[in-house]
Amino acid sequence: MLIDSPGLSQVKDSVKSKIFFGHEPSAELIAILSVYFVQGILGLARLAVSFFLKDELLLSPAQVSALLGIVALPWIIKPVFGFISDGLPIFGYRRRPYLVLSGILGAISWISLATIVHTSWAATLAIALGSLSVAVSDVIVDSLVVERARGESQAAAGSLQSLSWGASALGGLLTAYLSGILLEHFTTRTVFWVTASFPLIVSAVAWLIAETPISKNAPHSNNSQNPLSIKYQVKQLRQAITQKSIWLPTAFVFVWLATPTADSAFFFFSTNELHFQPEFLGRVRLVTSGASLIGVWMFQRFLKNISFRAIFTWSTVLSSALGMTMLLLVTHTNRALGIDDHWFSLGDSLILTVIGQIAYMPVLVLAARLCPPGVEATLFALLMSVSNLAAMVSYELGAIIMHWLGISETNFELMWLLVIITNLSTLLPLPFIHWLPADDPQGQTGEISHLMPELILRESDSQTMESKRQ
């Protein structure tokens, strides 16, 4: 006898609606979400890396910030990986082999950190290799998401992006607290050994991707209108980057994300001045991972139809204002007010992470909308790499400011000034808010065609326009 089919159907419909945002939980979707999940779960070693650089390699806050900027390089050249995967299939496949290779590279990176890395330069190379691994898998899985996002109705706009980033946040959530607990009982190199197993999951699930091999003898394989030809990709990319309605919003996102960060200084301040233990820092990561999920949910549930300008304006102002509350912590004023350092840190991390995630989600939705068929990986990677370049600039500017202020692993006398500088600088992009489209980010198809008038005009214009809905 079969299980009561009406009841089973209701359960399936409920799971599909509430957990998968209306998407059919196919093996391929599970594989895609698994890649994002692994990206989040790699956060297991994030604290271990920070303590490894600080305590074993004895780097200063400015040096750590500079190193983190350097290892972000693979994320800046993501378009190269997209160009390669779109134009140079392996054994006829554009997605699967690259996912397999990325997983192997990631495992090699973490094994190196666990065994042979003993200098700052070796650490930079190993961490950069791990960054390369994640960047390649991210390019591939992003292109898969973009391809499938075209089939979404207007009502489901952005749901696949929200689902994907939710999977990443969930991976981070599950390992956040564990990252601190492990450091209480094991060495950083042991944590690196454990982390080395996770990239291999990406290699394994790659075989679940539904992909039809490309025939080498396909007609018109060298035609400039063939979406797989290099000439076609170059033509489409050239059209994209010359569109004012594309590069102006991209420039705003760059300015918005390139303001200096004090993350490295705060890690040293938390461990050396406030004496936060790894276990508590794991709690903070748990809170921020949960806050990311809350941000994704809030955007998907309440904010996806609000204009870009409104989201960026209010999130920037709120982040700057709330970030100033860190002055209470670095001057120990919170203690005079009867607020424990630990509770203050948790609350601040929670609120700022939610706001930051809400502000970043529209960037993903817009970037996905700008990708024509055939060059999904390349163009999406090009747009997103701008934000990664901005992050690199942010870390390097932060390192320069820390050096100017004389902030070191033991000297935090001018941390208050660093807080003021970094928070006020987040307001600098607001005069350029008009660079963003005034249209609703989840607007109708006609608004999307206005956003990128020439990029997607091809023989099948009507079909392409309809496919841009998410």
Side-chain angles (χ1 to χ4, degrees), residues 28-161:
E28 182 181 57
L29 178 60
I30 298 301
I32 291 173
L33 297 182
S34 295
V35 177
Y36 283 107
F37 181 77
V38 168
Q39 290 181 10
I41 213 171
L42 288 176
L44 178 71
R46 188 170 302 164
L47 279 179
V49 169
S50 297
F51 277 101
F52 179 73
L53 298 177
K54 180 176 81 77
D55 295 335
E56 297 188 39
L57 299 186
L58 304 178
L59 302 184
S60 68
Q63 289 174 322
V64 170
S65 187
L67 184 151
L68 293 177
I70 293 173
V71 300
L73 182 61
W75 290 84
I76 297 171
I77 60 172
K78 278 177 63 177
V80 175
F81 312 141
F83 188 86
I84 291 173
S85 74
D86 276 331
L88 298 174
I90 299 177
F91 301 116
Y93 293 95
R94 297 191 298 154
R95 309 303 184 215
R96 287 181 188 171
Y98 289 101
L99 282 179
V100 173
L101 289 174
S102 71
I104 294 173
L105 287 177
I108 292 174
S109 165
W110 292 109
I111 291 174
S112 299
L113 283 169
T115 54
I116 62 175
V117 171
H118 299 286
T119 66
S120 58
W121 283 108
T124 301
L125 291 175
I127 298 173
L129 182 62
S131 181
L132 172 65
S133 164
V134 181
V136 170
S137 66
D138 191 65
V139 167
I140 301 304
V141 79
D142 279 345
S143 68
L144 293 171
V145 169
V146 169
E147 290 169 358
R148 284 141 188 81
R150 288 197 175 89
E152 293 184 358
S153 63
Q154 183 180 344
S159 62
L160 194 52
Q161 284 90 347

Side-chain angles (χ1 to χ4, degrees), residues 56-370:
E56 297 188 39
L57 299 186
L58 304 178
L59 302 184
S60 68
Q63 289 174 322
V64 170
S65 187
L67 184 151
L68 293 177
I70 293 173
V71 300
L73 182 61
W75 290 84
I76 297 171
I77 60 172
K78 278 177 63 177
V80 175
F81 312 141
F83 188 86
I84 291 173
S85 74
D86 276 331
L88 298 174
I90 299 177
F91 301 116
Y93 293 95
R94 297 191 298 154
R95 309 303 184 215
R96 287 181 188 171
Y98 289 101
L99 282 179
V100 173
L101 289 174
S102 71
I104 294 173
L105 287 177
I108 292 174
S109 165
W110 292 109
I111 291 174
S112 299
L113 283 169
T115 54
I116 62 175
V117 171
H118 299 286
T119 66
S120 58
W121 283 108
T124 301
L125 291 175
I127 298 173
L129 182 62
S131 181
L132 172 65
S133 164
V134 181
V136 170
S137 66
D138 191 65
V139 167
I140 301 304
V141 79
D142 279 345
S143 68
L144 293 171
V145 169
V146 169
E147 290 169 358
R148 284 141 188 81
R150 288 197 175 89
E152 293 184 358
S153 63
Q154 183 180 344
S159 62
L160 194 52
Q161 284 90 347
S162 296
L163 184 60
S164 300
W165 277 76
S168 178
L170 180 61
L173 181 67
L174 294 179
T175 57
Y177 185 64
L178 187 59
S179 65
I181 288 292
L182 285 176
L183 287 177
E184 293 279 356
H185 300 89
F186 303 98
T187 66
T188 56
R189 294 187 186 271
T190 300
V191 176
F192 296 153
W193 270 115
V194 174
T195 308
S197 63
F198 296 126
L200 297 178
I201 296 176
V202 175
S203 299
V205 301
W207 304 104
L208 298 178
I209 301 299
E211 184 177 10
T212 303
I214 301 167
S215 173
K216 293 182 179 180
N217 299 320
H220 311 298
S221 59
N222 294 319
N223 192 294
S224 62
Q225 295 302 313
N226 178 9
L228 299 180
S229 73
I230 293 179
K231 287 184 178 180
Y232 176 87
Q233 294 183 56
V234 171
K235 177 183 177 182
Q236 293 296 86
L237 291 175
R238 185 176 64 251
Q239 288 177 333
I241 62 178
T242 55
Q243 294 299 308
K244 185 177 181 181
S245 55
I246 293 177
W247 65 259
L248 270 182
T250 303
F252 177 86
V253 170
F254 177 85
V255 175
W256 181 63
L257 293 174
T259 54
T261 179
D263 283 354
S264 298
F266 270 108
F267 175 75
F268 280 78
F269 180 78
S270 298
T271 55
N272 292 355
E273 175 72 14
L274 302 182
H275 305 293
F276 287 169
Q277 296 302 308
E279 187 269 343
F280 175 74
L281 293 178
R283 292 187 193 180
V284 174
R285 285 209 59 241
L286 178 64
V287 167
T288 55
S289 296
S292 293
L293 278 176
I294 294 173
V296 170
W297 177 80
M298 289 183 65
F299 174 80
Q300 173 66 24
R301 182 68 178 82
F302 303 110
L303 304 172
K304 64 179 183 179
N305 291 321
I306 297 179
S307 69
F308 286 118
R309 294 184 183 182
I311 288 182
F312 279 111
T313 298
W314 286 107
S315 62
T316 300
V317 172
L318 286 175
S319 295
S320 179
L322 292 173
M324 287 296 185
T325 60
M326 291 303 295
L327 287 172
L328 300 178
L329 186 65
V330 299
T331 60
H332 302 301
T333 305
N334 61 295
R335 297 175 182 176
L337 297 174
I339 306 174
D340 183 78
D341 293 340
H342 297 76
W343 284 109
F344 191 95
S345 243
L346 282 173
D348 187 75
S349 299
L350 171 65
I351 297 172
L352 290 178
T353 302
V354 170
I355 295 174
Q357 188 67 59
I358 289 174
Y360 195 63
M361 286 303 297
V363 178
L364 303 176
V365 176
L366 177 60
R369 285 176 174 268
L370 303 181

